[in-house]
Amino acid sequence: MNDPLFGGVDRVLGSSDDVPLRLALVVDDDEVSRMMLKSMLNANDYQVVEAENGEQGVEQFDRYQPDIVFMDVLMPVMDGLEATQQIKARLGNSFVPVIFLTALGDDETLGRCVSAGGDDFLSKPSTPAALRSKIIAVGRIQRLYKELRVLNDERQREAEVAEQVFNRVVAADNVAVVGLQTLMHPASTFSGDVLLTAYRPDGDLYVFLGDFTGHGLVASIGSLPLADTFRAMAGKGFSGSEILQQINNKLCHSLPTGMFLCGCLVWICSEENRISVWNGGMPDVWLLDTKRKQVKHHFPSIHPPMGIQAFQAEELVLDRFDVEAGDRVLISSDGVVEARNFRAEQFGDQRFERAIQQGLQNDDLFGSVKTSLELFCGVTEPADDISMVEIPCSIARSSLPPEGKSTSVGQTRLSQSTAWKWQLELTGSALNEADPVPMAIGQLQDMVGPSLPRQAIFTVLSELYVNALDHGVLGLESTLKSSAEGFSHYYDERESRLANLSDGFVCIKLSYSVGAEKCYLEMRIEDSGPGFNYVNWVDDPGDETSHSGRGILLVNTLCDSLRYYSVGNHVEAILSWARGTNDGETATGN
Amino acid sequence: MPIVHIPPEKGSSIVVINISGKFDFSTHKDFRETYIHHTQKGLDFKVDLSETEYMDSSALGMLLMLREYAEENEGKVWIHEPQKDVHKILQIANFDRFFEITQCGSKENE
């Protein structure tokens, strides 16, 4: 054991080697006791500051911020109990042990010392061995305190990061839905519960409520891929099951084993008075008739949660149900029925159902459940996240109505809603540089999905585009191609005219819509050319001689309808195909 | 000790894991300890939930981790005799797709 360098009180000077000496404060009115304790502390590598009474002790404490305090109980001016209370009150989160110097055996005094904030006792007079063991024991507690603080600070930082990520990326992008009511009560800073809302391009609404295993940063890991996938795909008009499949794939890749996402997706069709629900691991989804004040349907969890393994086709089926204007959907996380009061009783299914029935009678569904839950829980903080969402089944369309159509379009189409439109116009030299057909196909594939009859659409678009460009904009005559020389001449000519092209345009417009049984794609192509006499061709499409070069016959066989407008520089082709399983619904309700 | 772990008896390849009381994140470490040392191939795990009163979603996660471990070692996991409330949690999560759930009497002689 090294001898102390000196018994002074300057901590900086004390650290002549790299190990700073620790500082003890000894508060005792008896000088002999102080001297004895000081020499023993010095022998244990402590510097010592002294005080003669409690008041001085508090002053010395403020001035030197010691690492440990030894406190006599009975002293003039201010006793050790009062001084300890004052010192402990200043400490806040940090830990400085106060050890009372007292004759052991007086139980009442010991109790008062502990109440005042004392951490331990040292008998008076003390022995070096007793002092040393106290110092070691208290040092252990001090280290634990420090470790705990570091961990707590880290946890706090992580919670803040998680919350920021969540608020920025997940919650902020939700759409405002008139009549949508939400209650999101997190158990920790970031909740494992995630609510996402997005409109499809056709005005349908998707609402997704999910519940990740765990809380805090752990639970936020999956919320980013979830929110990104959900919004991107909803925005492109993907069907509910396509979105669920993609989310599941993403989560299977990104979540560690043992973490998964319970969730339910509610798809409100704005025009068809129909909802579709998918429930994987969440409590029942309720469909409620507020006009007749009754429960219309339950959608129980019939699918496994997401992020565990790839879904089978039947696991991606949405349950469909017809609805009326006053109908509402109520979804909740398990935190609602599992919420506990101060007696540790659960809110439970029965109370939940009673509150729903009451809400139907009072015309305040959400308010009734919320109030009932709040009254039940009182001030008890939730152990799990509590989330509840009420969704109106009749929603205002958010997107633009379909454009007015000319009457020449097949009558069956007029009742269909336009799911989305896409348009590309190429002008002048851009016509030489870009091929819009693959772009259009790529776009279609992204938005329609695998049920798209890609080959047929590619053929139709390519033929019509080439016609518009070659014969319309470039003014090439198809009759040139009637001989072998003509062919090569045609293509030489085409190349040179394209290279020198400075004006003219071709515009491609696609509109996609989904009907009860079929999907429709309308392809309109306009060009800046003079057009051609399509009337003859319409009257007698069998007359191949004049227009065979335009590949129109092939196009005509692939399409439901093919029409020319204006002077013949504007063509419209409509192609339909059966709705695939990818549209994600089979009618199981009703 | 809420988790009791019975290593396979002679001639058997079944590890029994019995969880009494609460099966939640607080049992995470103990639960993992029950299987992580069994490195021999072909061991099956019987998770006895007959004395489990409560189970949360992190417990579901722990079961999935056990399943992954068992499958990597060419074994399987089944859940034995969950009580009503616990069974309901397994049902809502449709965990019967991932685990066989046995009731009293069955599987005892395997």
Side-chain angles (χ1 to χ4, degrees):
Chain A
M1 189 69 35
N2 291 330
D3 284 324
L5 291 168
F6 53 89
V9 292
D10 191 327
R11 307 188 76 177
V12 180
L13 286 178
S15 54
S16 58
D17 51 8
D18 282 343
V19 182
L21 289 176
R22 290 155 62 86
L23 186 64
L25 168 63
V26 176
V27 189
D28 196 330
D29 57 335
D30 177 25
E31 197 184 344
V32 178
S33 298
R34 286 204 309 270
M35 289 301 293
M36 283 174 64
L37 193 55
K38 182 179 172 181
S39 72
M40 286 193 285
L41 283 164
N42 286 159
N44 281 290
D45 289 349
Y46 272 88
Q47 285 180 284
V48 177
V49 287
E50 299 171 49
E52 288 174 13
N53 59 53
E55 192 179 84
Q56 240 184 48
V58 176
E59 282 169 20
Q60 295 285 70
F61 181 87
D62 285 342
R63 191 192 288 166
Y64 294 108
Q65 303 290 312
D67 302 298
I68 189 167
V69 178
F70 293 89
M71 184 76 76
D72 190 20
V73 183
L74 296 173
M75 287 177 290
V77 187
M78 183 192 284
D79 68 13
L81 299 171
E82 171 67 25
T84 301
Q85 275 176 351
Q86 293 198 11
I87 285 170
K88 286 288 179 179
R90 285 153 212 255
L91 283 174
N93 268 336
S94 52
F95 175 69
V96 177
V98 174
I99 293 172
F100 274 103
L101 305 165
T102 176
L104 296 172
D106 179 358
D107 286 350
E108 200 205 322
T109 308
L110 293 186
R112 280 162 60 210
C113 290
V114 171
S115 303
D119 297 290
D120 209 339
F121 302 95
L122 192 61
S123 62
K124 207 167 109 173
S126 184
T127 63
L131 176 70
R132 188 155 174 75
S133 54
K134 286 290 174 210
I135 289 172
I136 291 170
V138 163
R140 267 187 217 133
I141 298 174
Q142 240 168 344
R143 268 198 306 281
L144 275 178
Y145 248 87
K146 271 186 188 150
E147 281 172 22
L148 194 65
R149 260 180 65 188
V150 170
L151 283 174
N152 242 334
D153 289 350
E154 268 174 28
R155 199 198 59 81
Q156 184 64 32
R157 257 200 313 279
E158 286 185 351
E160 281 164 15
V161 169
E163 194 176 11
Q164 209 176 26
V165 164
F166 182 73
N167 286 336
R168 270 197 205 158
V169 185
V170 180
D173 286 338
N174 277 341
V175 294
V177 180
V178 178
L180 189 86
Q181 303 203 65
T182 58
L183 170 73
M184 302 290 284
H185 194 126
S188 56
T189 318
F190 171 81
S191 89
D193 287 5
V194 180
L195 173 68
L196 299 171
T197 54
Y199 282 112
R200 279 161 54 101
D202 59 359
D204 285 7
L205 176 69
Y206 285 132
V207 178
F208 183 89
L209 182 66
D211 180 0
F212 280 104
T213 36
H215 305 294
L217 193 58
V218 174
S220 74
I221 293 172
S223 64
L224 294 185
L226 165 67
D228 286 350
T229 309
F230 176 81
R231 295 228 167 75
M233 293 185 75
K236 287 179 182 173
F238 277 101
S239 72
S241 53
E242 284 168 324
I243 294 174
L244 291 165
Q245 183 166 32
Q246 188 61 25
I247 289 173
N248 188 49
N249 289 345
K250 279 253 159 98
L251 293 181
C252 284
H253 276 122
S254 58
L255 292 184
T257 309
M259 260 199 80
F260 52 84
L261 170 69
C262 294
C264 60
L265 178 72
V266 178
W267 176 358
I268 310 266
C269 292
S270 55
E271 290 211 325
E272 295 174 46
N273 292 324
R274 179 165 51 76
I275 63 165
S276 301
V277 175
W278 186 93
N279 186 348
M282 294 291 275
D284 283 9
V285 173
W286 295 62
L287 177 61
L288 303 154
D289 180 340
T290 58
K291 275 187 195 153
R292 293 178 196 85
K293 300 181 189 298
Q294 62 190 25
V295 178
K296 211 167 183 175
H297 194 65
H298 290 264
F299 299 92
S301 158
I302 53 168
H303 304 291
M306 291 186 264
I308 298 174
Q309 63 187 36
F311 282 142
Q312 308 292 313
E314 69 270 15
E315 288 171 338
L316 288 164
V317 173
L318 278 74
D319 197 357
R320 211 163 75 164
F321 211 89
D322 287 341
V323 292
E324 294 168 77
D327 292 354
R328 302 192 150 252
V329 177
L330 191 70
I331 51 180
S332 60
S333 68
D334 59 2
V336 174
V337 290
E338 287 177 9
R340 288 173 192 272
N341 64 7
F342 69 98
R343 278 196 291 268
E345 296 164 333
Q346 285 196 348
F347 186 58
D349 292 323
Q350 284 184 356
R351 284 192 190 85
F352 184 59
E353 189 160 352
R354 256 205 314 275
I356 288 174
Q357 294 290 359
Q358 213 162 46
L360 284 169
Q361 298 308 320
N362 306 341
D363 289 323
D364 183 15
L365 191 61
F366 198 78
S368 169
V369 179
K370 194 176 161 209
T371 309
S372 169
L373 186 65
E374 281 167 359
L375 284 175
F376 177 80
C377 292
V379 291
T380 312
E381 272 300 302
D384 192 9
D385 314 322
I386 291 177
S387 306
M388 189 167 73
V389 184
E390 184 191 314
I391 313 157
C393 288
S394 53
I395 48 163
R397 286 176 53 89
S398 67
S399 62
L400 299 170
E403 260 178 39
K405 279 302 307 156
S406 81
T407 50
S408 60
V409 176
Q411 292 301 312
T412 50
R413 282 213 59 249
L414 288 175
S415 59
Q416 311 305 332
S417 63
T418 300
W420 49 261
K421 291 169 185 295
W422 183 85
Q423 179 173 326
L424 178 70
E425 185 169 328
L426 293 175
T427 54
S429 57
L431 286 162
N432 187 27
E433 288 153 13
D435 185 357
V437 177
M439 289 185 220
I441 296 288
Q443 201 70 23
L444 279 163
Q445 224 165 5
D446 277 353
M447 297 171 103
V448 177
S451 72
L452 183 81
R454 200 167 151 258
Q455 203 55 52
I457 291 170
F458 189 82
T459 305
V460 172
L461 272 180
S462 299
E463 289 295 337
L464 296 180
Y465 174 70
V466 167
N467 281 347
L469 179 61
D470 288 16
H471 308 310
V473 178
L474 300 178
L476 292 160
E477 284 298 330
S478 57
T479 47
L480 274 174
K481 289 194 280 188
S482 54
S483 70
E485 307 93 302
F487 241 93
S488 87
H489 176 59
Y490 180 92
Y491 283 107
D492 288 345
E493 192 59 34
R494 185 178 192 270
E495 231 175 271
S496 91
R497 289 192 197 182
L498 258 180
N500 297 315
L501 198 62
S502 58
D503 53 15
F505 70 85
V506 177
C507 180
I508 300 179
K509 293 177 181 172
L510 304 176
S511 22
Y512 171 72
S513 59
V514 181
E517 283 154 18
K518 284 181 143 190
C519 301
Y520 297 90
L521 180 68
E522 181 191 284
M523 297 165 270
R524 299 170 80 178
I525 295 180
E526 298 171 45
D527 63 61
S528 55
F532 74 110
N533 183 6
Y534 60 91
V535 179
N536 291 342
W537 172 79
V538 170
D539 287 344
D540 185 10
D543 178 13
E544 285 190 32
T545 49
S546 55
H547 303 296
S548 57
R550 292 182 172 247
I552 287 169
L553 279 176
L554 175 61
V555 171
N556 199 35
T557 56
L558 289 170
C559 292
D560 297 17
S561 77
L562 179 70
R563 281 165 200 274
Y564 280 90
Y565 296 92
S566 182
V567 293
N569 59 2
H570 181 173
V571 63
E572 180 190 80
I574 295 171
L575 203 132
S576 70
W577 62 96
R579 288 179 72 158
T581 47
N582 291 297
D583 298 301
E585 294 167 295
T586 47
T588 54
N590 314 10
Chain B
M1 188 72 178
I3 296 188
V4 179
H5 152 234
I6 308 161
E9 289 166 25
K10 248 192 179 159
S12 163
S13 63
I14 300 173
V15 178
V16 180
I17 302 170
N18 183 297
I19 299 140
S20 56
K22 276 189 172 179
F23 186 16
D24 60 12
F25 196 75
S26 65
T27 53
H28 177 263
K29 212 173 149 227
D30 291 341
F31 185 76
R32 192 167 179 273
E33 289 291 314
T34 62
Y35 63 84
I36 207 74
H37 302 300
H38 291 293
T39 48
Q40 99 192 60
K41 297 269 177 206
L43 273 189
D44 295 333
F45 295 85
K46 169 177 161 181
V47 182
D48 185 342
L49 298 184
S50 59
E51 289 165 45
T52 309
E53 286 152 20
Y54 169 79
M55 177 165 145
D56 70 357
S57 65
S58 56
L60 295 173
M62 290 187 257
L63 289 172
L64 292 173
M65 288 168 83
L66 169 61
R67 183 181 75 137
E68 186 180 79
Y69 185 85
E71 283 175 357
E72 275 169 13
N73 291 294
E74 294 152 26
K76 67 175 193 118
V77 179
W78 75 90
I79 293 168
H80 186 65
E81 235 186 1
Q83 289 179 25
K84 196 174 140 240
D85 287 350
V86 170
H87 202 181
K88 195 180 154 198
I89 287 166
L90 290 165
Q91 250 168 357
I92 290 176
N94 288 283
F95 261 43
D96 52 348
R97 317 259 170 113
F98 310 128
F99 300 94
E100 187 184 350
I101 300 174
T102 58
Q103 291 303 328
C104 199
S106 58
K107 284 274 178 189
E108 283 302 287
N109 299 320
E110 277 192 29

